[in-house]
Structures are given as structure tokens and as C-alpha cells.
Amino acid sequence: MKITKPRGTRDFLPEDMENRRYVENIIRDVVTKWGYSEIMTPTFEHLDLFTLKSGDAIVGEIYNFTDKGNREMALRPELTAPVMRMYVNEMQATPKPLKLFYFENCFRYERPQKGRYREFWQFGVELIGSRQADADAEVIALAMSILNALDIDGKLNVGHLGIIRYILKELDIEQQSQIMRYVDKKDDMGLDDYLDNINAPADLRRNLFELIGISGEDAIIKAKEITGSIPELEAFRKIIELLDAYEIKYTIDFGIARGLDYYTGMVFEIYAKDLGAQNQICGGGSYQLIQLFGGGDVPSTGFGIGFDRIMEVCRKKTEKPASVMVICTEKTRLEAIETTMELRKIMPAHIDLMKRNFKAQLSHANNIGTDFTLIIGERELQAGKVTLKDMKSGNQETLTLKEAIAKLNEY
Amino acid sequence: MKITKPRGTRDFLPEDMENRRYVENIIRDVVTKWGYSEIMTPTFEHLDLFTLKSGDAIVGEIYNFTDKGNREMALRPELTAPVMRMYVNEMQATPKPLKLFYFENCFRYERPQKGRYREFWQFGVELIGSRQADADAEVIALAMSILNALDIDGKLNVGHLGIIRYILKELDIEQQSQIMRYVDKKDDMGLDDYLDNINAPADLRRNLFELIGISGEDAIIKAKEITGSIPELEAFRKIIELLDAYEIKYTIDFGIARGLDYYTGMVFEIYAKDLGAQNQICGGGSYQLIQLFGGGDVPSTGFGIGFDRIMEVCRKKTEKPASVMVICTEKTRLEAIETTMELRKIMPAHIDLMKRNFKAQLSHANNIGTDFTLIIGERELQAGKVTLKDMKSGNQETLTLKEAIAKLNEY
């Protein structure tokens, strides 16, 4: 009976995994140098956690199930809610700010399509406990620093929800949310109709369209002409000043709405110049979830990077370490095992496991692409020698084992 | 609303994760040097995959669910079946033997108890395509080599199911399975009753109890007195000879049954001397699943290591790299950001994100345990200097930034 993998999921072959681990390690190195620490949460959570954060509508896109104890569970669709839950349960007493990162898989039930999978990987950062511009700027700079380390050309858009919310402050929460959704989709027609529907005041309508149309160098000045001096704009100005200190290039866009109601202030999105339509690879901002989850009034800022999309654009490939296969006969096998064990102290080393003859062993070494073979024939063994063969050039020389190891150690 | 983590699962704090990643990397280094390659399969599979391998009874211990497309899915309870499924679907044409490893989470629904979790981590190896003693011996030696690299004192028991099955060959499959279960549980009383029940011949009964009671140096000779010269015993003798070449210490135990019907030949178990009752940390053997999953008659050998148990016994702890916090005032902040970015090229570096004053910043550095602080005061900045403070000794000196970086680079 032939069984397939579940639709929309993937098996990763060795060459996939090598590249994925390589890229993962580059990211780990960057965040560690920025002083962030890894945490890990369970793969499934109580369904409540995600509906509390995102509303009941999210259930339609979630892998949820009733466990054998009759509890409603969900495979996590994202990691911000689990990290905030973990913070509330276990880390409230830790010195602030907490600088955390995660690298985990997430799940969503949706129609499988190119580049979208039902199980996918997210790398992300959550900086908990600071409401300063410094925190917002650091998080953005860290995201850009990761992409930089991966040689990915990322285009950064930064905005601030406080400014658009200031313009909408006369409307009720439901109207604000609805407008944010149109803004997020860049659906100007839909937005226009909706504003008609709710009889939005003319100046609100004018200010809103002006604000989301702002771009270029003097974006903050233009915004100030609309809103006047408000604290949100001053906070945003400080973030921008810090981004300059980090030498980060950005585009200001007050039309970023992120489509998620729990963002409170700065929001940003990074697009990969090399990807097609679905070219957002990172998104984040500052948000407030901890109170909702039963903790104190603690602000946080974070981002998520879609690791699978990163793997599509990242041209960095791992360089395999040089490897060797020890070739032996039945009579030299025990010595060959000993030699293989010596070699495994310094490099990946294979030995025949199929009772193949000499020629078939060499052919296998060629098939699996080892860089060297180290041949232990019967005559060689008697003379206390081995033959080291460079599989690329075909060159070979007869050496003592010690000499051969010294030679291999240079690679 | 306060939400907890699901019962029987865990959140991992930064210090947990650091040690877990450290141990994981030691294991990765060993298997890579042995020439094994990582693969990864989806977190959930069609439920069929696991019932086909282990029978319908396993459903009671599995996290299974019906997805939105009405398919029966299961969070994987183990990884051998997924790896074999992946082999059948995608790797049949790869040169043999395939040397694969995985490091992933698994799930089981059972009463939570000390040291047993509903989500747990397995490291494992599957060597596909060889029916030689060499493959069996390599897999055992690799498992021991991993434990050795972790300074874990593992006690290895090795057996061979072919020998006990030879003694039971007159019985039907159901009877054989039942007997293997009693043997696996070391339930001699239950076994005795069952043999009575099925009216087992007296010589079968005598041979069986003699075989599972064998121990010590001349175990193979003693077994031969019971079974005579059979190919299974000769195969086992070859494995033992190879284990000697690998300089592995072992105890022969023909009573290892592993409780799983798909094992065919060599079986082994490794116990940690430091653990209590549940002290098995590794188990494996040679088995046949590929045909069952729709592939060819391809033998395989593998093992799984319980990573959570490993973390209980492994005394190896990561040594944190030296870290630094840059201390600044509001007037030196932009320069401090630049300096922090320089430091992040060489070590984990923090900068204040809370607009704290000088003293509070130093106190935070102390709280989070950075090894150094690099102080950029206003007067220091004017003089082109910084103060480098060793937080352990309290010693501090005034240096140029270049000198300070050179000094930190030594750590």
C-alpha cells in the first residue's frame, strides 16, 4: 500500500536540508550577536489562544482538533501569540527588555498553491518590555541585518498606525478596523465606497487619502501638515532618526496597516526585490497582546520572517566539507574500520557497508561524490601504506596513514 | 484571560534552549562525520501510515484528527514510518546504502508523567539498503559514538530476533507475537502461563527459557548448543566481530524483543547508567517496512535516541560566549549605536532600549550577566575614548575604541 505525504506539505531531501540548515545558522549567528535568546513553545496550543488574538474567523484557516481529553487544540498558525502566552506564564519576572527569538514550524489550512505550504517555517523576534523608539528601531535594524547577512536585497517600508488612527479617532472601533483592512489591501475603490457608506466627514476622507498617499523624503513634514504636532508623529520621527544611525534605507508609508488589530504603533514590511507577486518576506511592528493574555501593560515589538520564502530568494548555498570513503577488501576490513574511525575525527568518512568489491566501492564513492578515497589494499596494508586518491583530479599517491591524514587535514 | 500551555507539553526558556541546541550540535557533528545526511518529513501524516506499521491499537496513543478536507491525519508518534514513506516516494533511485538522520519532534497522547511528555524530541538514524552485518554494526557503533561524544555512559545490549524466531518457528504468527511481547516485558511468569495455554512443546519451552537466559562471554556458543548452526547465528557472530573492531563494549541478550513486529534481525538497546527506572535512551535494530509501504524488498537498520532523556543525563553544558553591553547617555546614543554594530561583528552586544540612565544601564548589564560593559560617556567621546569594564573583576580602563575591540576580540 503506497501512502503519500499530506497534500500541501513537503519532504526535505538531504540537499534541501543542508541549505536550509546553512541559512538557519547564518540567521542564528546574527540574532545571537544582537543579544537575542532562543525560546521554544509547544507545536499545538489551546485554540482559544489564537481566537482570542485574531478573532473566531481564524478558525477557518487553522488546523484545529479535539484531543482525547475533549480539549480544543490548534496547530500553531503563528508564533507571536504562543510567545506572549509563554511570557505571561513564565517570564514576567525576567529583567526587561526581553530579547527573544524563535525558529519553528507553523500550520495553516488553505488551498495549496505555489510557494504556499500547509506547514511552513517562521523565524521571528519578540522584544518585550520597551515602548521606546529605540526598541522599534533595533527590531527593524535587526531584520535588515539578517537579510544583509543572507545577501538578500530587501526593500523596507515603515509606517506608524498611531497616525492613521489619529485621523480616524472620531469613528467607532469597527469602522476603524474596516478602514484599516481596505488600507492594508491598498483597495482605494473599496475604501471610497465604504467611506460613502458610513457618511465619513469630508475632511476625514481628504486627510485619510492624503496620508496614505504620502511618500518621499519629507513624509513626516507632510504628515504633520495633516495631523499637526501629535505624540505619535514625534515617536515616529525618533524611530526614523535612529534608522539613519543604523544606516538603514527605508521608504515611509503611512498606508501600512498590517491587517491585524493588535498592532499599536510602528509597523514595517520588507519586500524581496527578487520575488514575484508574493514578495513580502518580513513583517512586524509594535503591538499589545500581553494584557489580553492576562499579563500586565507591557509593550512589545517584533517581526516574523517567512523562512520558506527566504530559501527561494537566498542564493547562498552551503559548501560541503571535503569527504572521504575508505576502500577495502574483506581481508583489510577490520583495519579499514579503524582507519575510518580515525578519519571521522576530522571529516565525513564512509566505509563500504554492502560487501562490494574494490571496483564497486570506488564507483559508489564516485556516485555519492566523496572528494577522496583512501584505499587499503592487502599489499598496501602489509607495507604499512595506504593509497590516497583525489576523486576530482584522479591523482593518487601512496603514503603512510599518518601522512594521508595530515594531507586530508589540510582540506 | 489567562491561557496555559497544553497539559503534558513544555515551554523552553533561553537557558534550556541553549543547552538543547548545544547537545543537538554535538550529535549533528558526530553523524555528519559518519557521512549521514539530514532529511525532514511533515509534522503530520495520513493516519494510515502509522496503523499500517503498528496496527490499529496505536490510534489510542496518537494525536489524530480529521482535517477540513475530511482526511484522517495524525501528528507523528515516531519517525521511522515517515522516513520509510519518504524513501518509497522520493528516494528509491538514490545510490545504496542511504545514510539518513533526522532530529524532530513527535507526539503521543498518554497520561502526563515525570520525564514523559506529549510532545518530545527524537534523534534518529536510518541506514537503508544493506542487509550486511557491516550495516548493523555501523549503526550500533554510531549510536555509541554519539553517547561517547556526550560523555554519557551507555550500557549496550545486543540481540538478534532471528534466533528466537527460529525456536518459535513451529508456532503461528499470532503466538510468536504474543510470546515476543512477554519476552520484551521480561515477564517470565506470564510467558510460562501463555506457553501452558497454547500447549507449547516441552523442548520449545526449554529452549526458549534457556535462550533468553543466556549471558556472558560465550553467549554465541551457548546459543549454538540450542539452535545448531543457523544462518541467523552466523550473521550475529559477524556483527559481534565488527563491534569488537569498533572497540564497543556490549552485553549479548537474546531476550531483547523490542515489542515491534517489524524488526527482523539484529536488535539493540542502550541504557543510561545515570537514569532511574526509565533508563533506556536508545533502541534500534534491522527491520523491513519498505515493502509494506509499497517499495521494493529493501532492508534497513536504524535507531532512535530520546533527546529529552539525553538532556536529563548529559552533563555537558554550553559555555556562553563573552558578551558586552554598550552604556551611553542621550547625547552619545547615536555613536553608541555605531559602536554596538561594530561589536556585533565579533560578539553578542546589547545597547539600552529603555532610555535608562547611566546607573540603571549598568545595573541591567549586571542583571542579564554581560561579561563586559563598554561605556561611552560625553567626556570620553570628546576625548575619542571609551571605558571598558570587566563586570566580574570590576576592573576598568580607558582606551580608544580600536583598543577596546582588540581587547574584547581576545575573549
Side-chain angles (χ1 to χ4, degrees), chain A residues 62 68 90 119 134 355, chain B residues 11 43 62 68 134 355:
Chain A
I62 272 185
K68 293 185 165 64
E90 297 171 60
E119 177 172 13
D134 305 80
K355 291 266 185 285
Chain B
D11 289 323
T43 300
I62 271 185
K68 292 184 165 63
D134 305 80
K355 291 266 184 285

Side-chain angles (χ1 to χ4, degrees), chain A residues 216-236:
Chain A
E217 294 268 308
D218 49 355
I220 294 180
I221 295 170
K222 286 182 193 159
K224 204 169 180 176
E225 286 167 8
I226 303 171
T227 63
S229 278
I230 57 171
E232 290 81 359
L233 203 52
E234 174 56 17
F236 187 65

